[in-house]
């Protein structure tokens, strides 16, 4: 894609979108990113007129209704309907406006639950989904299939889906009510350091393994995808291809935050699934792999946590 290409991003105010906009700005790549107030993807007519008027060369769909297990369990209707509606409104409007290039963001929740092997792209829809966020996952699978079907019906349209693994990084959500493992660990260790807590508890024995990639790496992958759109596979995992034990996140996190106390394992607490790992051979064959080490990623995330004032706000709350 040329330097003058017009790129439209949805979800520019979210964690993925803000990381993408930051990395893109550092490389002088211009991206148009209307907020949900400027362009509500639930409003089909508004989306249709916006795309017909703007006529971007490429659309990146990173908006969605995203939430933790509790929110997904409480409101499966909302997660299913909103993610499907946003996806289909945008993708059908892009097709109707004659936009030939689109990158849709999926999620590793599209894969069957409890898979013993690393998840390969062809495993999507090959088994039962995780019940705790099934509505969300069904919508993600359906939107990815819609992209596929559009290409199948008309090969001039290249609508491709990237499947990122779990992410952490700058612009993450650190509030314990909404946070994933990595920001939760950072916040917990920071509080423990500030309050001189002698021991931090870890749920279970800490051996469960999790694949978390630095969000800046996903931003790099999306920019590479825009650059080399023609060779980008239709469906591609974007992950580390390796994982770390929960204990590793605490150990490295403690070094970065400067927490010098002990860890105590609470074996009465649930540990969740033991492992969920993406197979990244397709991305490697395409010529991309994640570059940020866990140490560097955690350092950048902790700096954001301190500089953005999130640490102070949460400590005051
Ligand atoms: N974060 C992860 O660990 C992760 C991992 C794998 C895949 N993903 C995928 O990456 C995508 C983005 O995730 P994220 O973590 O960046 O989520 P996020 O931080 O919750 O951001 C969601 C974005 O979607 C926008 N949005 C929500 N409803 C909208 C609407 N009706 N119209 C227009 N925009 C709307 C939000 O805009 P407002 O803030 O203005 O409402 C926000 O910018 C999702 O597809 C998710 O499945 C994320």
């Amino acid at each position: 894609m040329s330097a003058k290409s017009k790129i439209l991003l949805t979800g520019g105010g979210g964690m993925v979108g803000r990381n993408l906009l930051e990395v893109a700005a550092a490389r002088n790549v211009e991206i148009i990113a209307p907020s949900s107030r400027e362009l509500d993807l639930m409003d089909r007519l508004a989306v249709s007129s916006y795309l017909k008027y703007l006529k971007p060369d490429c659309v990146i769909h990173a908006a969605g209704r995203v939430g933790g297990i509790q929110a997904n369990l409480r409101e499966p209707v909302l997660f299913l309907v909103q993610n499907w509606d946003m996806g289909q409104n945008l993708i059908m409007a892009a097709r109707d406006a004659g936009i030939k290039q689109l990158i849709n963001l999926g999620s590793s929740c599209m894969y069957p639950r409890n898979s013993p092997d690393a998840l390969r792209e062809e495993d999507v829809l090959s088994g039962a989904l995780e019940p705790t966020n099934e509505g969300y996952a069904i919508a993600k699978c359906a939107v990815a299939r819609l992209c596929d079907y559009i290409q199948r019906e008309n090969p001039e349209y290249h609508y491709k889906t990237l499947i990122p693994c779990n992410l952490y990084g700058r612009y993450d959500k650190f509030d314990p009510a909404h946070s994933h493992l990595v920001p939760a660990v950072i916040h917990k260790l920071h509080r423990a350091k500030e309050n001189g807590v002698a021991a931090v508890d870890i749920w279970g024995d800490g051996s469960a393994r999790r694949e978390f990639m630095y969000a800046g790496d996903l931003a790099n992958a999306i920019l590479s995808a825009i650059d080399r759109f023609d060779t980008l596979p239709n469906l591609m995992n974007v992950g580390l291809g390796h994982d770390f034990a929960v204990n590793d996140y605490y150990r490295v996190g403690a070094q970065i935050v400067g927490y010098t106390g002990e860890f105590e394992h609470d074996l009465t607490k649930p540990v969740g699934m033991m492992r969920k790992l993406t197979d990244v051979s397709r991305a490697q064959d395409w010529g991309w792999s994640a570059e940020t080490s866990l140490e560097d990623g955690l350092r950048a995330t902790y700096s954001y946590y301190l500089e953005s004032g999130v640490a102070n706000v949460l400590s005051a709350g």
Side-chain angles (χ1 to χ4, degrees), residues 34-272:
S35 68
S36 59
R37 254 193 252 155
E38 290 163 315
L39 178 64
D40 179 1
L41 295 177
M42 297 297 291
D43 183 341
R44 180 198 287 244
L45 287 177
V47 176
S48 173
S49 354
Y50 188 93
L51 287 187
K52 281 189 179 136
Y53 171 75
L54 187 71
K55 279 246 173 215
D57 300 293
C58 178
V59 174
I60 304 163
H61 181 36
R65 166 68 60 179
V66 181
I69 291 182
Q70 294 309 328
N72 269 278
L73 281 173
R74 208 173 42 239
E75 296 182 287
V77 174
L78 185 91
F79 282 89
L80 171 64
V81 172
Q82 287 208 349
N83 284 299
W84 169 243
D85 279 356
M86 282 189 229
Q88 70 140 337
N89 286 346
L90 180 74
I91 290 162
M92 294 308 289
R95 187 191 72 164
D96 294 346
I99 295 153
K100 300 290 182 347
Q101 300 190 337
L102 182 141
I103 297 172
N104 168 50
L105 286 192
S107 149
S108 54
C109 70
M110 290 158 62
Y111 284 114
R113 63 189 305 227
N114 293 335
S115 174
D117 303 317
L119 302 159
R120 291 170 313 153
E121 290 82 352
E122 49 272 32
D123 296 333
V124 168
L125 286 177
S126 66
L129 298 163
E130 167 62 37
T132 49
N133 58 7
E134 192 189 70
Y136 177 72
I138 288 174
K140 294 299 244 182
C141 289
V143 173
R145 280 294 204 259
L146 176 62
C147 290
D148 246 22
Y149 296 161
I150 287 175
Q151 302 201 78
R152 208 185 292 173
E153 283 186 11
N154 188 340
E156 275 186 17
Y157 286 76
H158 302 286
Y159 286 14
K160 309 187 182 191
T161 297
L162 299 179
I163 307 181
C165 67
N166 293 318
L167 304 168
Y168 72 94
R170 293 168 58 73
Y171 310 108
D172 220 327
K173 301 177 181 82
F174 292 88
D175 182 341
H178 306 287
S179 58
H180 291 291
L181 175 71
V182 176
V185 166
I186 288 179
H187 179 56
K188 204 162 145 185
L189 292 171
H190 176 79
R191 292 288 299 262
K193 181 183 83 168
E194 295 292 292
N195 298 323
V197 173
V200 160
D201 66 307
I202 298 178
W203 282 24
D205 67 2
S207 66
R209 302 189 70 83
R210 296 285 181 269
E211 181 187 17
F212 274 91
M213 183 176 76
Y214 183 58
D217 282 338
L218 174 61
N220 280 325
I222 296 172
L223 291 175
S224 299
I226 294 168
D227 265 355
R228 298 189 286 129
F229 195 87
D230 292 347
T231 58
L232 180 70
N234 290 343
L235 189 62
M236 189 177 88
N237 288 335
V238 181
L240 296 178
H242 60 268
D243 52 12
F244 298 94
V246 168
N247 284 331
D248 295 327
Y249 289 105
Y250 275 95
R251 182 179 49 77
V252 179
Q255 285 163 13
I256 304 295
V257 169
Y259 171 72
T260 52
E262 302 289 319
F263 292 116
E264 274 173 5
H265 291 103
D266 183 348
L267 301 179
T268 64
K269 290 287 199 302
V271 293

